Amino acid sequence: MKSGSFSGLQKRICEIVPNATFMHCCSHNINLIICDAAKSSRKVQSFFEIVQDIFNFFSSSGPRWTDLAFGEEEGTVIRKVVLKKLCATRWEARHNALYSLRMRFVDILKALTKLQLTSTKKNERDMALALKKKLESPEFILILCVWENILKSMQFVSKKLQSVDLHLQQALDQLNTAISDIKLMRENYDTIVDKAKKMCDSWSIPFTFHQSRERYSKLFPGEIDGDRRLTITQDNFKVTVFYPVIDTILSQLKFRFTGLNTVCDYFRFLIPFSMISMTKELLIRSTYDFIEKYRDDISSDFTRQIVSLQDFFSFKG
């Protein structure tokens, strides 16, 4: 059943219990955030299409897959990381795909070069050459480093959120940690560039963005000229690609977890650790606010019970 706020389950429950607060599944929310960020620019969409094309090229042929999996020394590379399928609806699959691509970057280029030079099939040679050119693009490598960093950070948080003994406040703390990590990443763009340059050096790829001359159709009277400054260059990559991805993730992390923030604000004082750290005056004020919101569901001696609980936990501590 849909959870929509206009006609879904959320709306139907609120009609019965107006005080009910909707909170989306944390893991599913992260998946939606990553999917939104992956659509933040055409360059990013094209990047993931290339990653999928690379997987399809090798996985569609047993000999090609074997050549990549085992390399030159068959039987000794079984434990090597192999390429992973890219799934548009599961962000964790994106992380696995990008991690394996980064780890096997040089091996993939070697395999493509070998096919380009030795294959007897023209179509296979052409595809290998086309994919090799795309992988040898500094722009592609830089996007790979950006996204591998993002997904690695989000995967750590996602694993924590799936813990069976995690309570809501800890979940919120983990999300705030993710926001801090992404903000730190935003401020350290040069570090990601250095990482991309090292990958380029591993295959002697010049870290220079290829710029082709743009062709524009002739404008007719009354037509408006488009913004020709949107061409991606090495200088404006940070503004046109990097910032949109990072800012989309940051804004979505705050927007999509509004429900979790609200629930934690309402119930934080009931968590034993928070209860112990609060002054008695603040605890009593919190219980009054809670009673005011849930007046039809809370007994009149609720405040006394909570204060007694605080004394009990403090004594045990």
Side-chain angles (χ1 to χ4, degrees):
M1 184 178 288
K2 294 182 179 180
S3 61
S5 58
F6 297 105
S7 61
L9 180 61
Q10 178 185 174
K11 177 66 174 178
R12 297 181 186 183
I13 291 177
C14 287
E15 288 175 351
I16 302 172
V17 186
N19 287 331
T21 302
F22 175 76
M23 186 180 67
H24 210 292
C25 169
C26 291
S27 295
H28 183 56
N29 256 348
I30 291 180
N31 187 58
L32 294 176
I33 290 168
I34 296 300
C35 290
D36 286 344
K39 301 172 185 175
S40 60
S41 72
R42 178 56 199 157
K43 282 292 180 181
V44 173
Q45 294 180 49
S46 176
F47 163 79
F48 281 110
E49 290 169 2
I50 295 171
V51 174
Q52 185 62 49
D53 289 342
I54 295 168
F55 173 84
N56 291 341
F57 177 72
F58 283 100
S59 64
S60 62
S61 167
R64 289 199 294 262
W65 188 264
T66 302
D67 189 51
L68 177 62
F70 297 116
E72 297 179 358
E73 301 178 5
E74 294 187 11
T76 63
V77 202
I78 295 178
R79 292 186 297 274
K80 273 193 174 181
V81 178
V82 296
L83 290 177
K84 303 293 183 180
K85 184 179 181 179
L86 188 67
C87 178
T89 57
R90 288 185 63 250
W91 74 268
E92 215 167 350
R94 293 178 188 265
H95 174 261
N96 294 334
L98 299 194
Y99 174 75
S100 59
L101 177 59
R102 187 177 67 81
M103 293 296 292
R104 299 297 308 280
F105 182 70
V106 173
D107 292 334
I108 294 169
L109 285 171
K110 286 181 179 179
L112 291 173
T113 301
K114 180 181 177 182
L115 288 168
Q116 175 196 344
L117 297 175
T118 63
S119 176
T120 57
K121 303 174 183 176
K122 183 180 185 304
N123 184 52
E124 187 175 57
R125 291 198 308 270
D126 292 342
M127 289 182 65
L129 176 60
L131 288 175
K132 182 169 174 284
K133 286 183 176 179
K134 292 177 180 178
L135 260 68
E136 289 176 334
S137 163
E139 183 181 297
F140 176 87
I141 296 170
L142 185 53
I143 297 177
L144 172 61
C145 291
V146 169
W147 269 97
E148 208 269 327
N149 273 20
I150 291 172
L151 295 178
K152 181 169 63 176
S153 176
M154 298 299 288
Q155 186 187 44
F156 176 79
V157 174
S158 178
K159 294 296 183 184
K160 287 284 187 180
L161 291 177
Q162 295 175 40
S163 175
V164 295
D165 58 350
L166 189 79
H167 58 67
L168 291 181
Q169 185 59 48
Q170 289 175 326
L172 183 61
D173 293 341
Q174 290 296 330
L175 289 168
N176 287 332
T177 299
I179 292 174
S180 298
D181 290 343
I182 299 299
K183 285 182 177 178
L184 185 63
M185 193 181 304
R186 192 183 193 278
E187 298 169 0
N188 289 275
Y189 172 73
D190 291 340
T191 302
I192 299 176
V193 171
D194 291 339
K195 185 177 180 180
K197 288 180 178 179
K198 288 181 181 179
M199 282 191 65
C200 289
D201 291 340
S202 67
W203 191 250
S204 299
I205 301 171
F207 195 77
T208 304
F209 283 32
H210 174 70
Q211 290 182 250
S212 57
R213 178 177 294 180
E214 299 288 344
R215 293 185 178 182
Y216 301 99
S217 59
K218 182 179 179 180
L219 291 178
F220 291 94
E223 287 188 322
I224 300 175
D225 194 4
D227 191 346
R228 303 187 179 188
R229 297 169 298 172
L230 296 180
T231 303
I232 306 297
T233 66
Q234 187 172 342
D235 294 329
N236 70 8
F237 179 91
K238 179 163 61 172
V239 175
T240 55
V241 178
F242 179 71
Y243 281 159
V245 170
I246 296 295
D247 291 343
T248 298
I249 293 175
L250 287 174
S251 63
Q252 290 289 305
L253 277 171
K254 295 174 182 177
F255 169 73
R256 290 191 179 276
F257 290 98
T258 302
L260 178 60
N261 273 285
T262 301
V263 171
C264 286
D265 286 341
Y266 288 156
F267 294 91
R268 182 180 288 112
F269 74 98
L270 295 175
I271 301 173
F273 178 79
S274 299
M275 192 181 295
I276 295 173
S277 62
M278 295 172 71
T279 63
K280 198 171 295 293
E281 292 76 13
L282 179 58
L283 180 64
I284 292 173
R285 188 161 63 249
S286 298
T287 59
Y288 284 158
D289 293 339
F290 195 77
I291 292 172
E292 181 65 24
K293 181 171 180 61
Y294 299 103
R295 63 180 65 183
D296 297 331
D297 306 300
I298 304 296
S299 63
S300 58
D301 62 341
F302 178 74
T303 300
R304 182 183 59 79
Q305 293 173 349
I306 295 300
V307 172
S308 298
L309 272 176
Q310 185 190 43
D311 293 336
F312 173 78
F313 288 131
S314 299
F315 176 76
K316 285 289 186 180

